[in-house]
Amino acid sequence: MPPSTAADTQALDALIISTLALLSQFTTSLAATSAASTSAAIKDPPNPLDILSDASRLLKAHVTKISLLAINKPFTPSAITTIIREVAGTCLPAVMSAVQICEQEETIWPEFVGKEAQLRVRRVFREMESLLQEVRNISQGTGAGLGGKRDSLSCTGVVWESCDALAELQKLGIAGLAVQKAEQWRDTIKDAIEELKEWMEGEALDSEGQKDALLDSDDEGMDGDADSFDDIFNAANSMPADRPELKVLGEKAVDKLRRVGLLYNALIKRRLKVYRSAGEVKGNAKRVDEIMVDLRAIPHMIDELASTFYDLDEERARIVLDKCVARAKGVATLAAKSYDGNDDEFTLEQYRRTGESTTQLPFWTARRKATSVRIAVSQEARADANQLDVCMARESMAPDKGGKKGPRETYGGPLFLKRTNGMCNDGLLLDAVRRGKRKQGKDRV
């Protein structure tokens, strides 16, 4: 390889300066809102996550070569110039176009996906700026030596990490990213519940008579009761014993927050994991965005709720708790229907949890261990249970503990539905089942 010249070094320095300016321009564009974007729309755009994955992998390979050329001797600025020019002309514009596609195809790509892509792309640009600045220092002789090598290698490693995070978006997809975010927020809620429980179960102290404990001597507390320090810190880390109403409210809050955590589990399983890949779900992106906005907001509200308890502000705690529960009910209502507009297990579960009559549902689900019986429901069915003859129907059941399979007598089978014209409510069914048990004691539901 021919030795480097001053002209090669100057060319490298000029290219690094222009590339840094390009990165700064791209970063500024990422900070702007999609409404303020003036870029022309891309016709027949490809999958932006595929673009991000390919561009990040290529960028990672180029960065590896730049790092090796920068730390090994002889230093060859011409070779580094070629690679940096390739990065500035291919990788960087490609990731920017992917972000633009996410904003443009808003009916396919939810807003939270575009924002996450912007966040990860911005990090790649920031780390690339650090690497290019380090290469420039080495080129000028200020970054050479052992310390320069360490800085270059560390910068390279951070760029690799940011590129891997960008390529991860393709593996996750819309559903995977939504699940990842929701699980993080759910874990935050769990941590807040545990902290609140520990505060409630801590060593209880009276809230009165603590503030002047350090000033019980003539030298304004310098020689006061040393144990008072522990008392004050314990009082801040536990619920006072003289606030029984606050304790009751805290127990109520813990119970409701646990249910909120269960709601997150249900949404993750029934709504986020089942979200299909891009191109198959046009029109559902906005709905998923609305769900994610609520799921992100609830942990912040719970943090505020915990703060009100720590401040012993009972009135404020009640207000924040009601707001938090209302927000959780709102997202449950928003996600009540499946993506095709039909009812499913999540719909039924939300009706059951909210305590609403199951007569508002198109069917009723009764689960007992391994067997499940679905019975049609109608608001018009108000027949007297005493006039209802319970019909028996056989349904296969799952293996019992002994591993044996066999038929099982159940109520609510085809004959039962035929006799009731396919219409009954849950109260009527339970009365019918009880009556059937009395008539045939050997059979069980």
Side-chain angles (χ1 to χ4, degrees):
M1 183 175 294
S4 61
T5 64
D8 293 335
T9 303
Q10 292 177 359
L12 174 60
D13 188 70
L15 179 60
I16 291 177
I17 293 176
S18 63
T19 305
L20 289 174
L22 179 64
L23 289 171
S24 178
Q25 179 183 351
F26 284 164
T27 303
T28 304
S29 300
L30 290 174
T33 60
S34 59
S37 178
T38 58
S39 301
I42 301 176
K43 295 182 179 180
D44 299 328
N47 189 317
L49 302 188
D50 292 343
I51 297 177
L52 292 176
S53 177
D54 295 341
S56 62
R57 295 178 189 278
L58 181 59
L59 178 60
K60 186 176 178 179
H62 285 325
V63 166
T64 303
K65 291 186 287 185
I66 292 174
S67 178
L68 292 175
L69 291 171
I71 64 177
N72 290 304
K73 294 183 179 181
F75 182 75
T76 53
S78 59
I80 298 177
T81 299
T82 302
I83 299 174
I84 294 179
R85 186 176 291 113
E86 183 73 14
V87 169
T90 57
C91 301
L92 302 184
V95 295
M96 285 299 298
S97 65
V99 172
Q100 181 184 350
I101 293 173
C102 290
E103 296 177 352
Q104 173 184 322
E105 301 295 321
E106 56 183 9
T107 60
I108 298 178
W109 301 99
E111 184 179 356
F112 78 91
V113 176
K115 289 184 176 180
E116 184 67 21
Q118 289 182 16
L119 181 65
R120 300 193 184 195
V121 168
R122 189 180 296 114
R123 185 189 175 197
V124 170
F125 288 169
R126 183 174 61 249
E127 304 306 337
M128 275 298 300
E129 289 177 350
S130 300
L131 177 62
L132 291 177
Q133 189 61 53
E134 179 60 27
V135 172
R136 187 185 183 194
N137 293 338
I138 295 176
S139 173
Q140 295 175 349
T142 58
L146 185 59
K149 289 184 179 181
R150 286 176 178 171
D151 291 340
S152 177
L153 291 176
S154 63
C155 291
T156 303
V158 176
V159 174
W160 282 357
E161 183 181 359
S162 61
C163 289
D164 290 339
L166 193 58
E168 184 189 21
L169 290 178
Q170 184 201 36
K171 297 179 181 179
L172 292 175
I174 299 176
L177 181 61
V179 169
Q180 184 185 78
K181 294 291 184 182
E183 288 178 345
Q184 292 173 356
W185 298 328
R186 179 199 60 192
D187 294 341
T188 301
I189 294 175
K190 289 182 178 180
D191 293 341
I193 294 174
E194 292 300 321
E195 290 179 4
L196 186 58
K197 287 176 59 180
E198 291 178 1
W199 179 75
M200 293 172 56
E201 297 170 357
E203 183 179 355
L205 296 174
D206 293 339
S207 60
E208 298 180 358
Q210 298 292 335
K211 60 182 180 180
D212 296 329
L214 292 179
L215 304 178
D216 57 355
S217 63
D218 296 335
D219 55 358
E220 298 183 352
M222 296 301 295
D223 296 326
D225 186 7
D227 294 336
S228 297
F229 283 106
D230 295 334
D231 293 341
I232 288 178
F233 286 111
N234 288 335
N237 294 324
S238 61
M239 178 177 290
D242 58 345
R243 299 294 297 274
E245 299 85 357
L246 188 63
K247 183 177 181 180
V248 172
L249 180 61
E251 294 173 350
K252 177 182 177 181
V254 169
D255 179 65
K256 289 185 177 296
L257 295 184
R258 283 175 177 170
R259 297 184 183 183
V260 172
L262 294 177
L263 173 63
Y264 273 70
N265 291 335
L267 287 171
I268 290 172
K269 180 179 180 180
R270 301 294 183 184
R271 290 295 176 263
L272 302 183
K273 285 185 177 181
V274 300
Y275 193 88
R276 294 174 294 179
S277 60
E280 300 177 344
V281 289
K282 285 189 176 181
N284 286 320
K286 183 178 180 181
R287 185 182 176 196
V288 175
D289 268 328
E290 293 174 349
I291 293 175
M292 296 298 289
V293 167
D294 286 336
L295 294 183
R296 180 173 60 248
I298 291 175
H300 295 290
M301 300 176 69
I302 293 178
D303 287 341
E304 182 182 357
L305 175 63
S307 298
T308 59
F309 276 105
Y310 301 151
D311 295 337
L312 308 181
D313 191 344
E314 181 178 348
E315 181 179 357
R316 180 63 180 167
R318 292 183 185 277
I319 296 175
V320 177
L321 178 60
D322 291 341
K323 290 182 178 180
C324 183
V325 173
R327 193 69 178 263
K329 289 182 178 180
V331 68
T333 302
L334 177 63
K337 299 286 185 178
S338 63
Y339 292 116
D340 55 8
N342 297 324
D343 295 329
D344 58 5
E345 291 83 352
F346 180 84
T347 312
L348 296 172
E349 183 68 12
Q350 295 316 305
Y351 275 103
R352 186 186 70 80
R353 290 186 181 280
T354 55
E356 298 184 25
S357 174
T358 53
T359 57
Q360 301 178 16
L361 297 177
F363 56 86
W364 181 83
T365 300
R367 290 183 178 179
R368 183 173 179 82
K369 293 185 179 180
T371 187
S372 176
V373 183
R374 286 188 175 181
I375 301 177
V377 176
S378 172
Q379 290 181 337
E380 292 78 10
R382 302 297 180 187
D384 186 359
N386 293 326
Q387 299 177 1
L388 177 66
D389 292 328
V390 177
C391 299
M392 306 296 297
R394 292 183 176 274
E395 292 185 0
S396 61
M397 73 173 189
D400 56 18
K401 294 182 179 179
K404 298 180 180 180
K405 295 185 178 180
R408 181 176 186 174
E409 298 291 351
T410 59
Y411 298 90
L415 296 179
F416 179 83
L417 297 180
K418 181 178 180 181
R419 184 67 61 89
T420 59
N421 295 323
M423 297 185 299
C424 65
N425 57 27
D426 52 341
L428 178 61
L429 175 65
L430 293 177
D431 289 339
V433 170
R434 295 191 187 100
R435 188 167 181 267
K437 285 183 178 179
R438 290 195 297 269
K439 291 176 63 178
Q440 307 205 23
K442 65 179 180 178
D443 296 318
R444 295 183 299 173
V445 177

